[in-house]
Amino acid sequence: DWIDFILLFHRIIDRFEMTKNLNVTFERYLPDQAMFVEIDTDKITQVLDNIISNALKYSPEGGTITFNVKENNGFIEISVSDQGLGIPKENLDKVFERFYRVDKARSRQMGGTGLGLAIAKEMITAHGGDIWATSVEGKGTTITFTLPFDSAQEDDWS
Ligand code: ATP
Ligand code: MG
């Protein structure tokens, strides 16, 4: 389906913002205008649900979660940043492997199976995009993914 990604993303963020029980601030840097992408909405929603749940899970009290969307070279680039404990550099790729969890003891306490990001990677790859993690230990984590985006489609309407 052709979906306005910006509207979809706002709705997903709204849902988390209404139900969160932590003192965490959400900051959105999303374009004002619609950006249409051809996606499986349920699957991309599942991807975002996991990324945002992770960000909340690892956010400190009083932290900020930042949402960014921009266009970059034929792709729409989406990122979610938190101010949590971060992921060690040597584990940045491994978090996308099935059942991989950074610190077993810590993760067990947090709950979850270690499948979320592996499923996200499969789904984003199937959509022709890419997904990766950047992190500074003790400062926070950013998960970024891309989806093919044709900005020329806007011209069809003018
Ligand atoms: P599930 O998503 O299946 O409920 P999970 O959240 O543990 O379980 P993933 O979402 O795949 O699994 O994440 C894998 C691991 O990557 C996590 O267990 C955690 O160690 C690490 N991780 C993911 N996101 C973050 C984050 N925002 N900050 C710190 N560590 C993270
Ligand atoms: Mg998860």
Side-chain angles (χ1 to χ4, degrees):
D1 293 4
W2 283 96
I3 295 289
D4 172 10
F5 183 80
I6 306 306
L7 182 60
L8 174 69
F9 200 17
H10 272 302
R11 286 198 176 137
I12 293 169
I13 300 168
D14 286 344
R15 172 160 50 79
F16 276 92
E17 196 156 38
M18 284 188 293
T19 56
K20 75 182 160 68
N21 43 24
L22 280 165
N23 174 28
V24 172
T25 304
F26 283 13
E27 279 183 20
R28 309 182 196 201
Y29 299 96
L30 276 58
D32 294 328
Q33 76 282 13
M35 290 178 89
F36 285 93
V37 285
E38 194 170 22
I39 56 170
D40 181 326
T41 306
D42 288 347
K43 292 190 168 149
I44 297 302
T45 299
Q46 196 184 330
V47 167
L48 283 165
D49 279 356
N50 178 58
I51 294 170
I52 301 170
S53 311
N54 286 348
L56 276 169
K57 238 186 328 191
Y58 296 103
S59 277
E61 177 72 17
T64 298
I65 298 178
T66 309
F67 302 90
N68 270 283
V69 177
K70 62 177 188 195
E71 194 196 332
N72 187 10
N73 262 313
F75 287 85
I76 173 170
E77 198 170 290
I78 302 102
S79 64
V80 178
S81 304
D82 64 60
Q83 298 178 324
L85 75 187
I87 300 171
K89 210 190 236 108
E90 61 271 24
N91 298 328
L92 282 175
D93 291 332
K94 293 191 186 137
V95 296
F96 296 100
E97 292 171 10
R98 282 202 260 169
F99 304 118
Y100 186 83
R101 315 190 66 200
V102 172
D103 170 345
K104 300 288 180 239
R106 176 183 97 194
S107 304
R108 202 161 32 239
Q109 219 180 338
M110 291 292 188
T113 58
L115 275 173
L117 288 177
I119 293 169
K121 184 165 187 162
E122 266 178 43
M123 289 177 176
I124 295 302
T125 305
H127 279 78
D130 198 2
I131 183 167
W132 65 91
T134 56
S135 183
V136 178
E137 263 188 281
K139 293 251 182 195
T141 301
T142 298
I143 304 291
T144 305
F145 69 88
T146 60
L147 291 169
F149 171 68
D150 180 10
S151 59
Q153 72 200 4
E154 313 286 332
D155 300 341
D156 299 346
W157 299 95
S158 52

